[in-house]
Amino acid sequence: METDPQSNRFKKRDRVRIDEGTFKDFVGVVDLVSDLNGRAVVMIKVPGVRGSTPVELEQRQLDPA
């Protein structure tokens, strides 16, 4: 069984830039990485919202910041 090379692309506390979707060009910090489904939870700062907001994305939507 072959593993997806994207599945372990990031780890907790990595700074990433979102490169597609609603939050394109936002920079955040990886909070959680799922090896099973290739997704990551990224904490971003949304203007007008106090504190950080968790956003679940596919790792292919992220680039190292």
Side-chain angles (χ1 to χ4, degrees):
M1 182 167 135
E2 210 172 298
T3 59
D4 180 7
Q6 298 283 323
S7 66
N8 293 323
R9 191 170 166 202
F10 300 103
K11 62 185 186 301
K12 188 170 179 154
R13 293 188 297 274
D14 281 350
R15 283 182 48 89
V16 294
R17 185 180 61 79
I18 301 170
D19 68 356
E20 63 181 67
T22 304
F23 299 105
K24 182 178 179 173
D25 296 327
F26 276 63
V27 174
V29 177
V30 175
D31 187 52
L32 180 80
V33 177
S34 173
D35 293 333
L36 297 175
N37 63 10
R39 297 179 71 83
V41 175
V42 178
M43 301 301 288
I44 61 172
K45 296 209 182 225
V46 178
V49 176
R50 189 175 231 170
S52 295
T53 302
V55 179
E56 186 174 343
L57 301 161
E58 293 184 32
Q59 289 188 47
R60 65 174 179 76
Q61 294 177 283
L62 306 172
D63 285 324

